[in-house]
Amino acid sequence: MSLDTEHFSAEELVNILSLSYNAIAIHKTEQLTIEFATDAMIQIWGKDKSVIGKSLEEALPELKGQPFIGMLQNVLRTGVTVEGTDTPADLMIDGKLQTFYFDFSYRAITNNTGETYCILHTATDVTERYKSRMARIASEMREKELNEELAAINEELIATNEELMTKNEDLISAFAELQKSENNLHLALESAKMGTWQSGFSDGLLHITDRTRVLHGIPKDKLITLEESFNMIVLEDRDRIRKAIESSIQTGEPFEEDYRINPMDGSSQKWLRANGKAYYDKDGKAVLVSGTIYDITEHKLDDIRKNDFIAMVSHELKTPLTSMKAYIQMLGVNAKKEGDGMLTPILTKADVQVNKMTTLINSFLNVSRLDAGKIHLDKTECRLDEIIRNTVQEIKVINHSHNIESLPCSPLNVFADCEKISQVITNLISNAVKYSPMGKRIEIDCRQQNNMALVSVKDEGIGISSVDIKNLFTRFYRAAGKHNDTVSGFGIGLYLSAEIIHGHGGEIWAESEVGKGSVFYFTLPLQG
Ligand code: ADP
């Protein structure tokens, strides 16, 4: 059955229409007066029936500033229907301005002449649909982003993994290298009969290799601390070694010491040479000391035998030399008496040579005594300036080949073995003579520096290379060079000089330039 609208009055139609569940409104005139609105539309607006008959702007003042009123007026004017989906509109609901989304249409209703006389406004609230779509999009985007992020992390992981693998390979080959060099080290240590030791400060335990164990006669598997190991060192050497280790820990410098031990298994006394160095954590706290150790007994005994031999020979030579000197002097007196002009200078020369030999033999004797720790210093109060002046004068009497000059020196009081200090000055001047061309100047100077006396002997000779200069004061050391063949010497003068100066609490050193000359310095503490 078809519905014949002519049977309904306009009022009836409006009443029927107003029951629709759809949101429908009809606007008329330029003010968009609300002629009709279904309950659904009034509900969307958040208003009540009183809006009917009001202009749209009056009924929904919140639309001011939003595009809808303008759009509706445009529809009225142009007769062109407007539709929209998911269009946001801000509506005042429960006293709060809230955004809703709508699918809507503003449909122009025209009369017979084509004139728009009202607008049919329909709307569907799609806020929920819109929000859930947006949420889905957002979650899809987030998911995409996450996926991309994950992919990047994955790539990074792969790269890191590859890097780790190559690092691992590097590590393996470094480890192999390390093992190789450790093996080499072991071989080298073994062929040098060298042991190693290490002591950590946390437990004080001494970790030693088999060789070190054997050297000390320590039973297999016996644990030993560094402190306990000191008990094996002979009493005279013990403090020195302890101090050497302590100062090495403080300064970070390595140490090297020779000392004697009485091995734990009661075997005979040994001479050992230990090297070591401290290691520190990142806060600079010493955590362990470690080093090498080896047996130098044979070497030391050789040295001792050599010294004994030198001492014995020197001693044996002294008596005949003293007699020879006496004979030469007697001959000299006789020659003078008899007016033998030829013999006198020859005998004077012979006397000089005997004196040289006596000095040399005395030096040897001193060295061998030194080794036994027996250097004897006869200290008295003396004037260093006078010792220098007298020594230089004595040398000038017999030496005419060089221009030896002593610069003026103010009085300097020292408490020293005057004869030995004079011997040091003689040594330095005779070296300056030996290692400078004839006629060159040799200058001796002395002055006060803080509470020390500083003496220098300067020459214009061959000079000393930087390699040699470090070893000059070592026993039997002679600088390499052609002069060794022509200049006599044993390399003990400077060693002895250094021992004498150190015995007085002074220092001795040299500065030099090859081909230009050298300056030797020594200091002595001033008295008072
Ligand atoms: P030597 O008896 O050989 O002179 P020294 O102990 O007195 O022994 O000196 C050690 C070495 O130092 C010498 O062999 C020489 O090479 C070097 N030397 C010492 N003094 C000088 C100097 N004034 N000029 C150059 N070289 C020097």
Side-chain angles (χ1 to χ4, degrees):
M1 185 184 93
S2 71
L3 198 64
D4 187 354
T5 50
E6 275 177 27
H7 290 109
F8 294 102
S9 67
E11 203 184 337
E12 275 171 336
L13 271 176
V14 165
N15 281 339
I16 293 167
L17 205 58
S18 68
L19 293 176
S20 164
Y21 291 126
N22 292 332
I24 303 167
I26 295 170
H27 302 283
K28 252 183 156 179
T29 73
E30 193 66 12
Q31 281 71 42
L32 306 169
T33 310
I34 305 167
E35 286 295 319
F36 167 83
T38 59
D39 288 348
M41 182 61 99
I42 291 173
Q43 204 186 337
I44 282 179
W45 287 339
K47 304 287 177 310
D48 55 35
K49 277 205 166 39
S50 66
V51 295
I52 310 282
K54 284 187 184 163
S55 75
L56 189 59
E57 199 180 316
E58 195 189 344
L60 289 101
E62 66 264 34
L63 290 185
K64 209 172 165 196
Q66 299 190 52
F68 308 109
I69 291 178
M71 283 160 78
L72 283 162
Q73 282 166 344
N74 228 19
V75 173
L76 257 186
R77 231 174 284 130
T78 59
V80 178
T81 295
V82 171
E83 285 179 343
T85 47
D86 293 339
T87 309
D90 294 335
L91 296 170
M92 189 67 81
I93 309 291
D94 300 331
K96 247 195 319 184
L97 196 63
Q98 299 175 49
T99 305
F100 296 88
Y101 295 84
F102 298 99
D103 286 352
F104 73 94
S105 83
Y106 295 157
R107 190 158 171 199
I109 310 291
T110 47
N111 57 18
N112 297 339
T113 56
E115 200 187 332
T116 307
Y117 68 92
C118 74
I119 299 171
L120 181 66
H121 172 189
T122 57
T124 315
D125 183 352
V126 294
T127 306
E128 281 314 309
R129 187 189 76 190
Y130 178 80
K131 280 190 175 165
S132 64
R133 202 173 81 228
M134 282 302 131
R136 202 178 63 241
I137 291 172
S139 95
E140 272 170 15
M141 272 169 68
R142 179 81 201 115
E143 208 169 292
K144 199 170 153 232
E145 258 171 38
L146 264 176
N147 273 343
E148 279 167 8
E149 235 170 82
L150 269 173
I153 290 174
N154 213 19
E155 255 170 50
E156 245 171 69
L157 262 172
I158 291 170
T160 317
N161 215 17
E162 273 167 15
E163 223 172 276
L164 266 173
M165 261 156 73
T166 45
K167 287 259 161 63
N168 209 19
E169 275 165 22
D170 286 352
L171 252 167
I172 289 170
S173 51
F175 188 69
E177 281 300 313
L178 197 72
Q179 260 184 339
K180 218 159 62 186
S181 59
E182 210 178 292
N183 283 344
N184 286 344
L185 181 68
H186 274 302
L187 284 176
L189 285 172
E190 262 317 297
S191 63
K193 300 201 164 129
M194 221 181 237
T196 64
W197 59 277
Q198 179 179 316
S199 172
F201 293 127
S202 51
D203 56 5
L205 274 181
L206 200 58
H207 302 274
I208 50 177
T209 51
D210 289 348
R211 170 72 61 184
T212 312
R213 204 170 271 281
V214 171
L215 284 178
H216 290 81
I218 303 170
K220 213 171 179 304
D221 303 328
K222 180 172 169 49
L223 289 179
I224 177 170
T225 63
L226 181 66
E227 202 47 44
E228 281 165 339
S229 74
F230 282 131
N231 294 337
M232 280 183 268
I233 302 175
V234 301
L235 214 53
E236 287 162 271
D237 297 343
R238 204 175 288 169
D239 246 20
R240 178 169 52 85
I241 305 307
R242 207 189 283 276
K243 282 199 183 112
I245 296 179
E246 277 166 11
S247 106
S248 168
I249 292 169
Q250 264 166 26
T251 59
E253 294 289 321
F255 70 89
E256 181 180 276
E257 291 290 331
D258 296 352
Y259 56 94
R260 286 156 292 174
I261 59 155
N262 287 316
M264 205 177 255
D265 60 1
S267 55
S268 55
Q269 200 173 76
K270 276 194 185 101
W271 271 95
L272 296 182
R273 177 167 295 169
N275 289 291
K277 193 178 174 331
Y279 295 85
Y280 307 84
D281 64 11
K282 60 179 184 337
D283 303 322
K285 204 174 129 219
V287 282
L288 60 91
V289 266
S290 82
T292 58
I293 207 157
Y294 57 101
D295 192 341
I296 53 160
T297 313
E298 269 313 303
H299 172 81
K300 274 283 174 190
L301 293 181
D302 266 358
D303 254 15
I304 292 165
R305 279 193 285 268
K306 202 155 53 186
N307 269 323
D308 286 351
F309 178 72
I310 292 171
M312 192 186 73
V313 172
S314 311
H315 192 77
E316 292 303 314
L317 280 175
K318 264 185 101 166
T319 326
L321 256 184
T322 319
S323 314
M324 225 159 107
K325 191 174 168 62
Y327 293 141
I328 289 170
Q329 274 170 355
M330 272 160 60
L331 278 175
V333 173
N334 269 350
K336 252 188 205 153
K337 243 194 248 161
E338 283 165 22
D340 191 334
M342 240 226 339
L343 207 56
T344 312
I346 295 175
L347 286 173
T348 313
K349 278 184 185 155
D351 193 42
V352 168
Q353 293 306 319
V354 169
N355 283 343
K356 271 193 182 171
M357 264 177 94
T358 314
T359 319
L360 203 59
I361 283 164
N362 281 338
S363 304
F364 277 136
L365 269 176
N366 276 333
V367 170
S368 54
R369 280 196 202 120
L370 247 186
D371 243 46
K374 278 188 217 146
I375 187 154
H376 181 72
L377 297 175
D378 251 338
K379 291 188 185 174
T380 54
E381 287 179 10
C382 37
R383 286 267 303 272
L384 182 60
D385 53 310
E386 282 173 6
I387 301 176
I388 295 172
R389 205 174 318 123
N390 294 339
T391 314
V392 172
Q393 255 168 22
E394 276 166 31
I395 294 175
K396 279 176 86 161
V397 171
I398 49 167
N399 188 299
H400 305 286
S401 61
H402 291 72
N403 175 16
I404 303 172
E405 280 306 325
S406 166
L407 301 180
C409 180
S410 45
L412 292 171
N413 293 319
V414 288
F415 184 66
D417 186 327
C418 317
E419 224 172 274
K420 294 231 162 52
I421 296 298
S422 163
Q423 196 185 328
V424 172
I425 299 164
T426 310
N427 267 343
L428 297 181
I429 300 177
S430 43
N431 274 349
V433 168
K434 276 203 292 190
Y435 301 105
S436 316
M438 298 258 265
K440 289 284 182 190
R441 183 182 165 86
I442 294 165
E443 197 178 271
I444 299 98
D445 190 15
C446 76
R447 73 186 107 105
Q448 181 171 348
Q449 203 172 60
N450 302 324
N451 52 350
M452 302 292 270
L454 174 70
V455 181
S456 62
V457 177
K458 178 175 165 192
D459 66 50
E460 300 167 342
I462 58 170
I464 308 157
S465 75
S466 53
V467 179
D468 290 324
I469 217 158
K470 284 184 255 162
N471 299 307
L472 285 184
F473 302 95
T474 314
R475 188 165 47 155
F476 302 132
Y477 187 84
R478 300 199 73 206
K482 56 182 189 310
H483 301 274
N484 274 359
D485 306 332
T486 49
V487 183
S488 68
F490 291 96
I492 55 165
L494 286 181
Y495 166 68
L496 209 57
S497 302
E499 288 301 319
I500 292 169
I501 296 299
H502 292 154
H504 283 85
E507 289 294 331
I508 185 164
W509 71 98
E511 288 166 7
S512 182
E513 206 176 317
V514 174
K516 295 242 168 98
S518 317
V519 193
F520 280 77
Y521 297 92
F522 72 81
T523 57
L524 283 180
L526 284 171
Q527 201 188 19

